[in-house]
Amino acid sequence: MMMKDSLYFEKKTLIAMINIYCESVHGGKLLCDECRELREYAIQRIDRCIFGPGKPACKKCPVHCYSPKRREEIKTVMQFSGPAMVYKHPVLTILHLIKEKKTTQK
Ligand code: SF4
Ligand SMILES: [Zn+2]
């Protein structure tokens, strides 16, 4: 297992949010193909991010490397799953909010 850096938590948050979304909206026990593709895409974005480990929150990123389609999709997922994350994954939520705040202050 790799070191648990901020990117590790970012990926965990992303995966958790896509899981919540798919289970609620697409209604399966396993991630559907569509959501699995989105998950792979988003993880690849994080891995290839030009900012490296010091990357900002994607939402606040000046570059935004997502394709317009994927950007819309991930936005929908975040908006839907955000509220549920607070009680399902409180620690990840806090880390996520801290990151967003840091990015805003720059
Ligand atoms: S949107 Fe910005 S911060 Fe997010 S992965 Fe792409 S380049 Fe990095
Ligand atoms: Zn799905």
Short mmCIF file of all heavy atoms in Angstrom, two decimals, residues 33-102:
data_model
loop_
_atom_site.label_atom_id
_atom_site.label_comp_id
_atom_site.label_asym_id
_atom_site.label_seq_id
_atom_site.Cartn_x
_atom_site.Cartn_y
_atom_site.Cartn_z
N ASP A 33 -21.57 0.00 -15.07
CA ASP A 33 -20.48 0.25 -16.02
C ASP A 33 -20.19 1.75 -16.18
O ASP A 33 -19.04 2.18 -16.21
CB ASP A 33 -20.83 -0.32 -17.40
CG ASP A 33 -20.83 -1.84 -17.39
OD1 ASP A 33 -20.36 -2.43 -16.38
OD2 ASP A 33 -21.30 -2.43 -18.37
N GLU A 34 -21.27 2.49 -16.28
CA GLU A 34 -21.17 3.94 -16.47
C GLU A 34 -20.39 4.58 -15.31
O GLU A 34 -19.47 5.37 -15.52
CB GLU A 34 -22.59 4.48 -16.49
CG GLU A 34 -22.84 5.77 -17.18
CD GLU A 34 -24.33 6.12 -17.05
OE1 GLU A 34 -25.17 5.30 -17.47
OE2 GLU A 34 -24.62 7.17 -16.48
N CYS A 35 -20.77 4.22 -14.11
CA CYS A 35 -20.12 4.79 -12.93
C CYS A 35 -18.70 4.27 -12.76
O CYS A 35 -17.82 4.98 -12.28
CB CYS A 35 -20.94 4.53 -11.68
SG CYS A 35 -22.50 5.44 -11.67
N ARG A 36 -18.49 3.04 -13.17
CA ARG A 36 -17.14 2.50 -13.07
C ARG A 36 -16.21 3.26 -14.03
O ARG A 36 -15.09 3.59 -13.69
CB ARG A 36 -17.13 1.00 -13.40
CG ARG A 36 -15.81 0.34 -12.98
CD ARG A 36 -15.85 -1.17 -13.05
NE ARG A 36 -17.07 -1.73 -12.51
CZ ARG A 36 -17.91 -2.51 -13.19
NH1 ARG A 36 -17.64 -2.84 -14.43
NH2 ARG A 36 -18.99 -2.97 -12.62
N GLU A 37 -16.72 3.57 -15.19
CA GLU A 37 -15.93 4.35 -16.15
C GLU A 37 -15.60 5.74 -15.60
O GLU A 37 -14.48 6.21 -15.74
CB GLU A 37 -16.71 4.54 -17.45
CG GLU A 37 -16.43 3.49 -18.49
CD GLU A 37 -17.26 3.72 -19.74
OE1 GLU A 37 -17.46 4.88 -20.12
OE2 GLU A 37 -17.73 2.71 -20.31
N LEU A 38 -16.60 6.34 -15.00
CA LEU A 38 -16.39 7.68 -14.44
C LEU A 38 -15.34 7.61 -13.31
O LEU A 38 -14.47 8.46 -13.21
CB LEU A 38 -17.71 8.24 -13.89
CG LEU A 38 -17.62 9.61 -13.22
CD1 LEU A 38 -17.16 10.68 -14.20
CD2 LEU A 38 -18.98 10.01 -12.63
N ARG A 39 -15.45 6.57 -12.48
CA ARG A 39 -14.49 6.40 -11.39
C ARG A 39 -13.06 6.26 -11.93
O ARG A 39 -12.14 6.91 -11.47
CB ARG A 39 -14.86 5.16 -10.56
CG ARG A 39 -13.97 4.94 -9.35
CD ARG A 39 -14.27 3.64 -8.67
NE ARG A 39 -13.94 2.51 -9.52
CZ ARG A 39 -14.24 1.24 -9.25
NH1 ARG A 39 -14.89 0.93 -8.16
NH2 ARG A 39 -13.91 0.27 -10.08
N GLU A 40 -12.90 5.39 -12.94
CA GLU A 40 -11.56 5.20 -13.52
C GLU A 40 -11.04 6.50 -14.12
O GLU A 40 -9.87 6.84 -13.97
CB GLU A 40 -11.58 4.10 -14.60
CG GLU A 40 -11.92 2.71 -14.07
CD GLU A 40 -11.21 2.37 -12.78
OE1 GLU A 40 -9.98 2.54 -12.72
OE2 GLU A 40 -11.88 1.95 -11.82
N TYR A 41 -11.91 7.20 -14.79
CA TYR A 41 -11.52 8.46 -15.41
C TYR A 41 -11.04 9.46 -14.37
O TYR A 41 -9.98 10.06 -14.49
CB TYR A 41 -12.72 9.04 -16.18
CG TYR A 41 -12.43 10.36 -16.87
CD1 TYR A 41 -11.92 10.38 -18.16
CD2 TYR A 41 -12.66 11.57 -16.23
CE1 TYR A 41 -11.65 11.58 -18.80
CE2 TYR A 41 -12.39 12.78 -16.86
CZ TYR A 41 -11.88 12.77 -18.14
OH TYR A 41 -11.62 13.96 -18.77
N ALA A 42 -11.84 9.62 -13.32
CA ALA A 42 -11.52 10.62 -12.30
C ALA A 42 -10.24 10.26 -11.54
O ALA A 42 -9.42 11.13 -11.22
CB ALA A 42 -12.70 10.77 -11.34
N ILE A 43 -10.04 8.97 -11.28
CA ILE A 43 -8.82 8.55 -10.58
C ILE A 43 -7.60 8.81 -11.46
O ILE A 43 -6.57 9.28 -11.00
CB ILE A 43 -8.92 7.06 -10.17
CG1 ILE A 43 -9.90 6.95 -9.01
CG2 ILE A 43 -7.55 6.50 -9.78
CD1 ILE A 43 -10.17 5.55 -8.55
N GLN A 44 -7.77 8.56 -12.74
CA GLN A 44 -6.67 8.82 -13.68
C GLN A 44 -6.33 10.31 -13.72
O GLN A 44 -5.17 10.70 -13.81
CB GLN A 44 -7.12 8.33 -15.05
CG GLN A 44 -5.99 8.09 -16.00
CD GLN A 44 -6.55 7.65 -17.34
OE1 GLN A 44 -7.12 8.44 -18.09
NE2 GLN A 44 -6.40 6.37 -17.65
N ARG A 45 -7.36 11.14 -13.65
CA ARG A 45 -7.13 12.61 -13.62
C ARG A 45 -6.27 12.97 -12.42
O ARG A 45 -5.32 13.74 -12.53
CB ARG A 45 -8.46 13.37 -13.52
CG ARG A 45 -9.37 13.33 -14.72
CD ARG A 45 -8.80 14.02 -15.92
NE ARG A 45 -8.12 13.08 -16.79
CZ ARG A 45 -7.24 13.39 -17.71
NH1 ARG A 45 -6.91 14.64 -17.92
NH2 ARG A 45 -6.68 12.47 -18.45
N ILE A 46 -6.62 12.42 -11.27
CA ILE A 46 -5.86 12.73 -10.05
C ILE A 46 -4.42 12.24 -10.21
O ILE A 46 -3.46 12.96 -9.90
CB ILE A 46 -6.51 12.08 -8.80
CG1 ILE A 46 -7.90 12.69 -8.57
CG2 ILE A 46 -5.63 12.27 -7.57
CD1 ILE A 46 -8.69 12.03 -7.44
N ASP A 47 -4.26 11.02 -10.71
CA ASP A 47 -2.90 10.46 -10.88
C ASP A 47 -2.06 11.29 -11.84
O ASP A 47 -0.85 11.39 -11.68
CB ASP A 47 -2.99 9.02 -11.39
CG ASP A 47 -3.35 8.03 -10.29
OD1 ASP A 47 -3.10 8.36 -9.11
OD2 ASP A 47 -3.88 6.96 -10.60
N ARG A 48 -2.69 11.84 -12.84
CA ARG A 48 -1.94 12.58 -13.86
C ARG A 48 -1.98 14.09 -13.66
O ARG A 48 -1.56 14.85 -14.53
CB ARG A 48 -2.51 12.27 -15.25
CG ARG A 48 -2.32 10.82 -15.62
CD ARG A 48 -2.80 10.56 -17.01
NE ARG A 48 -2.72 9.14 -17.31
CZ ARG A 48 -3.24 8.59 -18.40
NH1 ARG A 48 -3.86 9.32 -19.29
NH2 ARG A 48 -3.14 7.30 -18.61
N CYS A 49 -2.51 14.51 -12.54
CA CYS A 49 -2.67 15.95 -12.29
C CYS A 49 -1.32 16.67 -12.38
O CYS A 49 -0.34 16.25 -11.77
CB CYS A 49 -3.28 16.15 -10.91
SG CYS A 49 -3.46 17.89 -10.50
N ILE A 50 -1.29 17.76 -13.13
CA ILE A 50 -0.03 18.50 -13.33
C ILE A 50 0.45 19.16 -12.04
O ILE A 50 1.61 19.52 -11.92
CB ILE A 50 -0.16 19.59 -14.42
CG1 ILE A 50 -1.33 20.54 -14.12
CG2 ILE A 50 -0.29 18.98 -15.80
CD1 ILE A 50 -1.25 21.83 -14.91
N PHE A 51 -0.44 19.31 -11.06
CA PHE A 51 -0.05 19.93 -9.80
C PHE A 51 0.57 18.93 -8.82
O PHE A 51 1.07 19.32 -7.77
CB PHE A 51 -1.24 20.62 -9.14
CG PHE A 51 -1.82 21.73 -9.97
CD1 PHE A 51 -3.01 21.54 -10.66
CD2 PHE A 51 -1.17 22.95 -10.08
CE1 PHE A 51 -3.56 22.56 -11.44
CE2 PHE A 51 -1.70 23.96 -10.86
CZ PHE A 51 -2.90 23.77 -11.54
N GLY A 52 0.50 17.65 -9.17
CA GLY A 52 1.09 16.63 -8.31
C GLY A 52 0.41 16.55 -6.97
O GLY A 52 -0.76 16.88 -6.84
N PRO A 53 1.17 16.14 -5.94
CA PRO A 53 0.57 15.94 -4.63
C PRO A 53 0.01 17.22 -4.01
O PRO A 53 -0.86 17.17 -3.15
CB PRO A 53 1.74 15.43 -3.77
CG PRO A 53 2.80 15.04 -4.73
CD PRO A 53 2.59 15.83 -5.97
N GLY A 54 0.50 18.37 -4.47
CA GLY A 54 0.01 19.63 -3.91
C GLY A 54 -1.20 20.17 -4.66
O GLY A 54 -1.50 21.36 -4.60
N LYS A 55 -1.89 19.30 -5.37
CA LYS A 55 -3.00 19.76 -6.22
C LYS A 55 -4.11 20.44 -5.42
O LYS A 55 -4.36 20.09 -4.27
CB LYS A 55 -3.57 18.59 -7.03
CG LYS A 55 -4.46 17.65 -6.24
CD LYS A 55 -4.91 16.47 -7.09
CE LYS A 55 -6.14 16.77 -7.92
NZ LYS A 55 -7.26 17.26 -7.14
N PRO A 56 -4.76 21.41 -6.04
CA PRO A 56 -5.91 22.04 -5.37
C PRO A 56 -7.13 21.13 -5.47
O PRO A 56 -7.06 20.08 -6.10
CB PRO A 56 -6.13 23.30 -6.21
CG PRO A 56 -5.64 22.94 -7.58
CD PRO A 56 -4.51 21.97 -7.37
N ALA A 57 -8.22 21.53 -4.86
CA ALA A 57 -9.48 20.81 -5.07
C ALA A 57 -9.87 21.02 -6.53
O ALA A 57 -9.79 22.13 -7.04
CB ALA A 57 -10.55 21.35 -4.14
N CYS A 58 -10.28 19.95 -7.20
CA CYS A 58 -10.60 20.06 -8.63
C CYS A 58 -11.65 21.14 -8.90
O CYS A 58 -11.60 21.83 -9.91
CB CYS A 58 -11.09 18.72 -9.17
SG CYS A 58 -9.82 17.46 -9.21
N LYS A 59 -12.57 21.25 -7.96
CA LYS A 59 -13.64 22.24 -8.12
C LYS A 59 -13.08 23.66 -8.27
O LYS A 59 -13.67 24.51 -8.93
CB LYS A 59 -14.53 22.15 -6.87
CG LYS A 59 -15.94 22.66 -7.05
CD LYS A 59 -16.78 22.22 -5.86
CE LYS A 59 -17.41 23.38 -5.15
NZ LYS A 59 -18.08 22.97 -3.91
N LYS A 60 -11.95 23.92 -7.62
CA LYS A 60 -11.36 25.27 -7.63
C LYS A 60 -10.20 25.37 -8.61
O LYS A 60 -9.49 26.37 -8.62
CB LYS A 60 -10.84 25.62 -6.23
CG LYS A 60 -11.79 25.36 -5.10
CD LYS A 60 -12.75 26.51 -4.94
CE LYS A 60 -13.71 26.21 -3.79
NZ LYS A 60 -14.68 27.24 -3.60
N CYS A 61 -9.96 24.32 -9.36
CA CYS A 61 -8.77 24.28 -10.20
C CYS A 61 -8.87 25.25 -11.37
O CYS A 61 -9.89 25.32 -12.05
CB CYS A 61 -8.59 22.85 -10.72
SG CYS A 61 -7.25 22.71 -11.89
N PRO A 62 -7.81 26.03 -11.63
CA PRO A 62 -7.82 26.96 -12.76
C PRO A 62 -7.70 26.25 -14.11
O PRO A 62 -8.07 26.81 -15.14
CB PRO A 62 -6.61 27.85 -12.50
CG PRO A 62 -5.69 27.04 -11.64
CD PRO A 62 -6.57 26.12 -10.83
N VAL A 63 -7.16 25.04 -14.11
CA VAL A 63 -6.96 24.31 -15.37
C VAL A 63 -8.21 23.52 -15.72
O VAL A 63 -8.73 23.56 -16.83
CB VAL A 63 -5.75 23.35 -15.25
CG1 VAL A 63 -5.60 22.51 -16.51
CG2 VAL A 63 -4.47 24.11 -14.96
N HIS A 64 -8.70 22.81 -14.83
CA HIS A 64 -9.75 21.80 -14.97
C HIS A 64 -9.57 20.93 -16.20
O HIS A 64 -9.98 21.24 -17.30
CB HIS A 64 -11.17 22.38 -14.91
CG HIS A 64 -12.05 21.44 -14.12
ND1 HIS A 64 -12.37 20.20 -14.60
CD2 HIS A 64 -12.57 21.52 -12.88
CE1 HIS A 64 -13.09 19.56 -13.68
NE2 HIS A 64 -13.20 20.33 -12.62
N CYS A 65 -8.91 19.81 -15.95
CA CYS A 65 -8.49 18.92 -17.03
C CYS A 65 -9.58 17.95 -17.48
O CYS A 65 -9.37 17.19 -18.41
CB CYS A 65 -7.26 18.16 -16.59
SG CYS A 65 -7.55 17.09 -15.16
N TYR A 66 -10.74 17.97 -16.83
CA TYR A 66 -11.81 17.05 -17.22
C TYR A 66 -12.41 17.47 -18.57
O TYR A 66 -12.46 18.66 -18.89
CB TYR A 66 -12.96 17.08 -16.20
CG TYR A 66 -12.71 16.32 -14.92
CD1 TYR A 66 -11.62 16.61 -14.12
CD2 TYR A 66 -13.61 15.34 -14.52
CE1 TYR A 66 -11.42 15.92 -12.93
CE2 TYR A 66 -13.41 14.65 -13.34
CZ TYR A 66 -12.32 14.94 -12.54
OH TYR A 66 -12.14 14.26 -11.38
N SER A 67 -12.90 16.50 -19.32
CA SER A 67 -13.69 16.84 -20.52
C SER A 67 -15.01 17.43 -20.03
O SER A 67 -15.43 17.14 -18.90
CB SER A 67 -13.95 15.57 -21.34
OG SER A 67 -14.90 14.76 -20.69
N PRO A 68 -15.66 18.26 -20.86
CA PRO A 68 -16.92 18.88 -20.41
C PRO A 68 -17.95 17.84 -19.95
O PRO A 68 -18.65 18.05 -18.96
CB PRO A 68 -17.41 19.63 -21.65
CG PRO A 68 -16.17 19.88 -22.45
CD PRO A 68 -15.26 18.72 -22.19
N LYS A 69 -18.04 16.74 -20.66
CA LYS A 69 -19.00 15.69 -20.30
C LYS A 69 -18.69 15.11 -18.92
O LYS A 69 -19.57 15.02 -18.06
CB LYS A 69 -18.94 14.58 -21.37
CG LYS A 69 -19.79 13.36 -21.05
CD LYS A 69 -19.67 12.32 -22.18
CE LYS A 69 -20.40 11.03 -21.84
NZ LYS A 69 -19.58 10.10 -21.05
N ARG A 70 -17.43 14.77 -18.70
CA ARG A 70 -17.03 14.19 -17.41
C ARG A 70 -17.17 15.20 -16.29
O ARG A 70 -17.50 14.85 -15.16
CB ARG A 70 -15.58 13.68 -17.49
CG ARG A 70 -15.38 12.51 -18.41
CD ARG A 70 -16.17 11.31 -17.97
NE ARG A 70 -15.83 10.12 -18.73
CZ ARG A 70 -16.54 9.01 -18.73
NH1 ARG A 70 -17.65 8.94 -18.02
NH2 ARG A 70 -16.15 7.96 -19.43
N ARG A 71 -16.91 16.43 -16.62
CA ARG A 71 -17.01 17.47 -15.60
C ARG A 71 -18.45 17.59 -15.10
O ARG A 71 -18.70 17.70 -13.90
CB ARG A 71 -16.55 18.81 -16.19
CG ARG A 71 -16.45 19.87 -15.13
CD ARG A 71 -15.89 21.16 -15.67
NE ARG A 71 -15.76 22.11 -14.57
CZ ARG A 71 -15.21 23.28 -14.66
NH1 ARG A 71 -14.69 23.67 -15.79
NH2 ARG A 71 -15.14 24.06 -13.62
N GLU A 72 -19.39 17.55 -16.05
CA GLU A 72 -20.81 17.59 -15.68
C GLU A 72 -21.18 16.39 -14.83
O GLU A 72 -21.88 16.49 -13.83
CB GLU A 72 -21.69 17.62 -16.95
CG GLU A 72 -21.90 19.01 -17.51
CD GLU A 72 -22.26 20.06 -16.45
OE1 GLU A 72 -23.27 19.84 -15.75
OE2 GLU A 72 -21.54 21.07 -16.31
N GLU A 73 -20.70 15.23 -15.26
CA GLU A 73 -21.03 13.99 -14.55
C GLU A 73 -20.53 14.02 -13.10
O GLU A 73 -21.25 13.68 -12.17
CB GLU A 73 -20.43 12.79 -15.27
CG GLU A 73 -21.14 12.46 -16.57
CD GLU A 73 -20.42 11.40 -17.40
OE1 GLU A 73 -19.31 10.96 -17.01
OE2 GLU A 73 -20.96 11.03 -18.44
N ILE A 74 -19.30 14.46 -12.94
CA ILE A 74 -18.73 14.43 -11.59
C ILE A 74 -19.41 15.50 -10.72
O ILE A 74 -19.62 15.29 -9.53
CB ILE A 74 -17.18 14.58 -11.62
CG1 ILE A 74 -16.55 13.94 -10.38
CG2 ILE A 74 -16.74 16.03 -11.73
CD1 ILE A 74 -16.51 12.44 -10.40
N LYS A 75 -19.80 16.58 -11.34
CA LYS A 75 -20.52 17.62 -10.59
C LYS A 75 -21.85 17.09 -10.07
O LYS A 75 -22.23 17.33 -8.92
CB LYS A 75 -20.78 18.82 -11.53
CG LYS A 75 -20.44 20.16 -10.90
CD LYS A 75 -20.28 21.25 -11.93
CE LYS A 75 -21.57 21.91 -12.31
NZ LYS A 75 -21.37 22.97 -13.34
N THR A 76 -22.54 16.36 -10.92
CA THR A 76 -23.82 15.76 -10.53
C THR A 76 -23.62 14.81 -9.35
O THR A 76 -24.38 14.82 -8.38
CB THR A 76 -24.43 14.98 -11.73
OG1 THR A 76 -24.50 15.87 -12.83
CG2 THR A 76 -25.80 14.46 -11.41
N VAL A 77 -22.57 13.99 -9.44
CA VAL A 77 -22.28 13.03 -8.37
C VAL A 77 -21.99 13.76 -7.06
O VAL A 77 -22.52 13.42 -6.00
CB VAL A 77 -21.08 12.12 -8.76
CG1 VAL A 77 -20.58 11.32 -7.57
CG2 VAL A 77 -21.47 11.19 -9.90
N MET A 78 -21.14 14.78 -7.13
CA MET A 78 -20.74 15.52 -5.92
C MET A 78 -21.94 16.19 -5.26
O MET A 78 -22.08 16.17 -4.04
CB MET A 78 -19.71 16.60 -6.25
CG MET A 78 -18.43 16.08 -6.89
SD MET A 78 -17.22 15.60 -5.67
CE MET A 78 -16.23 14.43 -6.56
N GLN A 79 -22.78 16.80 -6.09
CA GLN A 79 -23.95 17.48 -5.54
C GLN A 79 -24.89 16.49 -4.88
O GLN A 79 -25.43 16.75 -3.82
CB GLN A 79 -24.67 18.26 -6.65
CG GLN A 79 -24.06 19.63 -6.86
CD GLN A 79 -24.49 20.28 -8.18
OE1 GLN A 79 -25.30 19.72 -8.91
NE2 GLN A 79 -23.94 21.43 -8.48
N PHE A 80 -25.05 15.35 -5.51
CA PHE A 80 -25.96 14.35 -4.97
C PHE A 80 -25.41 13.75 -3.69
O PHE A 80 -26.12 13.62 -2.69
CB PHE A 80 -26.21 13.25 -6.01
CG PHE A 80 -27.15 12.19 -5.51
CD1 PHE A 80 -28.51 12.32 -5.72
CD2 PHE A 80 -26.68 11.09 -4.81
CE1 PHE A 80 -29.40 11.35 -5.24
CE2 PHE A 80 -27.55 10.13 -4.32
CZ PHE A 80 -28.91 10.26 -4.54
N SER A 81 -24.14 13.35 -3.72
CA SER A 81 -23.57 12.57 -2.61
C SER A 81 -23.03 13.42 -1.47
O SER A 81 -22.82 12.90 -0.37
CB SER A 81 -22.45 11.67 -3.14
OG SER A 81 -22.94 10.82 -4.13
N GLY A 82 -22.83 14.70 -1.72
CA GLY A 82 -22.27 15.57 -0.69
C GLY A 82 -22.96 15.44 0.66
O GLY A 82 -22.30 15.16 1.67
N PRO A 83 -24.28 15.62 0.72
CA PRO A 83 -24.97 15.56 2.01
C PRO A 83 -24.81 14.20 2.72
O PRO A 83 -24.60 14.16 3.92
CB PRO A 83 -26.44 15.81 1.64
CG PRO A 83 -26.39 16.53 0.34
CD PRO A 83 -25.18 16.02 -0.37
N ALA A 84 -24.88 13.12 1.98
CA ALA A 84 -24.76 11.79 2.59
C ALA A 84 -23.36 11.53 3.11
O ALA A 84 -23.16 10.79 4.07
CB ALA A 84 -25.15 10.71 1.57
N MET A 85 -22.36 12.14 2.49
CA MET A 85 -20.97 11.96 2.91
C MET A 85 -20.76 12.42 4.35
O MET A 85 -19.95 11.86 5.07
CB MET A 85 -20.03 12.74 1.99
CG MET A 85 -19.79 12.12 0.65
SD MET A 85 -18.97 10.52 0.74
CE MET A 85 -17.28 11.03 1.13
N VAL A 86 -21.49 13.45 4.73
CA VAL A 86 -21.30 14.04 6.06
C VAL A 86 -21.49 13.00 7.16
O VAL A 86 -20.70 12.95 8.10
CB VAL A 86 -22.25 15.24 6.27
CG1 VAL A 86 -22.11 15.81 7.66
CG2 VAL A 86 -21.98 16.31 5.23
N TYR A 87 -22.50 12.15 7.02
CA TYR A 87 -22.67 11.14 8.07
C TYR A 87 -22.08 9.78 7.73
O TYR A 87 -21.71 9.02 8.61
CB TYR A 87 -24.14 11.02 8.52
CG TYR A 87 -25.11 10.63 7.44
CD1 TYR A 87 -25.35 9.29 7.17
CD2 TYR A 87 -25.81 11.59 6.72
CE1 TYR A 87 -26.25 8.92 6.19
CE2 TYR A 87 -26.71 11.23 5.73
CZ TYR A 87 -26.92 9.88 5.46
OH TYR A 87 -27.80 9.53 4.50
N LYS A 88 -21.95 9.49 6.44
CA LYS A 88 -21.37 8.18 6.08
C LYS A 88 -19.85 8.18 6.21
O LYS A 88 -19.25 7.18 6.55
CB LYS A 88 -21.77 7.80 4.65
CG LYS A 88 -23.18 7.30 4.54
CD LYS A 88 -23.37 6.53 3.24
CE LYS A 88 -24.77 5.94 3.18
NZ LYS A 88 -25.03 5.17 1.98
N HIS A 89 -19.24 9.29 5.85
CA HIS A 89 -17.76 9.38 5.90
C HIS A 89 -17.35 10.74 6.47
O HIS A 89 -16.80 11.57 5.73
CB HIS A 89 -17.17 9.21 4.49
CG HIS A 89 -17.52 7.91 3.85
ND1 HIS A 89 -16.86 6.73 4.14
CD2 HIS A 89 -18.47 7.58 2.95
CE1 HIS A 89 -17.39 5.75 3.43
NE2 HIS A 89 -18.37 6.24 2.70
N PRO A 90 -17.61 10.97 7.75
CA PRO A 90 -17.33 12.30 8.32
C PRO A 90 -15.87 12.73 8.20
O PRO A 90 -15.59 13.90 7.93
CB PRO A 90 -17.76 12.17 9.78
CG PRO A 90 -18.02 10.74 10.02
CD PRO A 90 -18.23 10.06 8.70
N VAL A 91 -14.95 11.79 8.38
CA VAL A 91 -13.53 12.18 8.35
C VAL A 91 -13.14 12.62 6.95
O VAL A 91 -12.49 13.66 6.76
CB VAL A 91 -12.63 11.02 8.83
CG1 VAL A 91 -11.16 11.39 8.68
CG2 VAL A 91 -12.94 10.69 10.28
N LEU A 92 -13.56 11.86 5.95
CA LEU A 92 -13.25 12.24 4.57
C LEU A 92 -13.88 13.58 4.23
O LEU A 92 -13.28 14.40 3.53
CB LEU A 92 -13.77 11.17 3.60
CG LEU A 92 -13.03 9.83 3.58
CD1 LEU A 92 -13.70 8.86 2.63
CD2 LEU A 92 -11.57 10.03 3.18
N THR A 93 -15.07 13.81 4.75
CA THR A 93 -15.75 15.08 4.47
C THR A 93 -14.96 16.24 5.03
O THR A 93 -14.76 17.26 4.37
CB THR A 93 -17.16 15.07 5.10
OG1 THR A 93 -17.87 13.96 4.59
CG2 THR A 93 -17.92 16.35 4.75
N ILE A 94 -14.47 16.08 6.24
CA ILE A 94 -13.70 17.15 6.87
C ILE A 94 -12.41 17.42 6.08
O ILE A 94 -12.09 18.57 5.76
CB ILE A 94 -13.38 16.81 8.34
CG1 ILE A 94 -14.67 16.89 9.16
CG2 ILE A 94 -12.33 17.77 8.92
CD1 ILE A 94 -14.59 16.23 10.52
N LEU A 95 -11.72 16.36 5.72
CA LEU A 95 -10.48 16.53 4.95
C LEU A 95 -10.75 17.24 3.62
O LEU A 95 -10.00 18.10 3.19
CB LEU A 95 -9.83 15.16 4.68
CG LEU A 95 -9.23 14.46 5.90
CD1 LEU A 95 -8.81 13.04 5.53
CD2 LEU A 95 -8.03 15.24 6.44
N HIS A 96 -11.87 16.87 3.02
CA HIS A 96 -12.25 17.46 1.74
C HIS A 96 -12.54 18.96 1.90
O HIS A 96 -12.11 19.78 1.10
CB HIS A 96 -13.49 16.72 1.23
CG HIS A 96 -13.93 17.14 -0.14
ND1 HIS A 96 -13.23 16.81 -1.27
CD2 HIS A 96 -14.99 17.86 -0.55
CE1 HIS A 96 -13.84 17.32 -2.32
NE2 HIS A 96 -14.92 17.97 -1.92
N LEU A 97 -13.25 19.29 2.96
CA LEU A 97 -13.59 20.70 3.19
C LEU A 97 -12.35 21.53 3.50
O LEU A 97 -12.23 22.67 3.05
CB LEU A 97 -14.60 20.82 4.35
CG LEU A 97 -16.01 20.28 4.04
CD1 LEU A 97 -16.90 20.38 5.25
CD2 LEU A 97 -16.63 21.03 2.86
N ILE A 98 -11.43 20.94 4.25
CA ILE A 98 -10.18 21.66 4.56
C ILE A 98 -9.44 21.96 3.27
O ILE A 98 -8.94 23.06 3.06
CB ILE A 98 -9.29 20.82 5.51
CG1 ILE A 98 -9.94 20.75 6.90
CG2 ILE A 98 -7.88 21.41 5.61
CD1 ILE A 98 -9.26 19.78 7.86
N LYS A 99 -9.41 20.98 2.40
CA LYS A 99 -8.69 21.16 1.13
C LYS A 99 -9.33 22.27 0.30
O LYS A 99 -8.64 23.12 -0.26
CB LYS A 99 -8.69 19.84 0.35
CG LYS A 99 -7.91 19.93 -0.92
CD LYS A 99 -7.47 18.58 -1.37
CE LYS A 99 -6.36 18.69 -2.40
NZ LYS A 99 -5.78 17.39 -2.69
N GLU A 100 -10.64 22.25 0.23
CA GLU A 100 -11.35 23.28 -0.53
C GLU A 100 -11.09 24.66 0.04
O GLU A 100 -10.90 25.63 -0.68
CB GLU A 100 -12.84 22.99 -0.52
CG GLU A 100 -13.27 22.29 -1.78
CD GLU A 100 -14.78 22.21 -1.91
OE1 GLU A 100 -15.48 23.12 -1.41
OE2 GLU A 100 -15.23 21.24 -2.48
N LYS A 101 -11.07 24.74 1.35
CA LYS A 101 -10.87 26.02 2.04
C LYS A 101 -9.47 26.55 1.72
O LYS A 101 -9.30 27.71 1.38
CB LYS A 101 -11.06 25.80 3.54
CG LYS A 101 -11.07 27.07 4.35
CD LYS A 101 -12.24 27.05 5.33
CE LYS A 101 -12.60 28.46 5.83
NZ LYS A 101 -11.63 28.99 6.77
N LYS A 102 -8.49 25.66 1.84
CA LYS A 102 -7.10 26.04 1.56
C LYS A 102 -6.98 26.63 0.16
O LYS A 102 -6.31 27.60 -0.07
CB LYS A 102 -6.21 24.77 1.63
CG LYS A 102 -5.48 24.61 2.93
CD LYS A 102 -4.37 23.61 2.71
CE LYS A 102 -4.15 22.73 3.93
NZ LYS A 102 -3.70 21.38 3.59
#
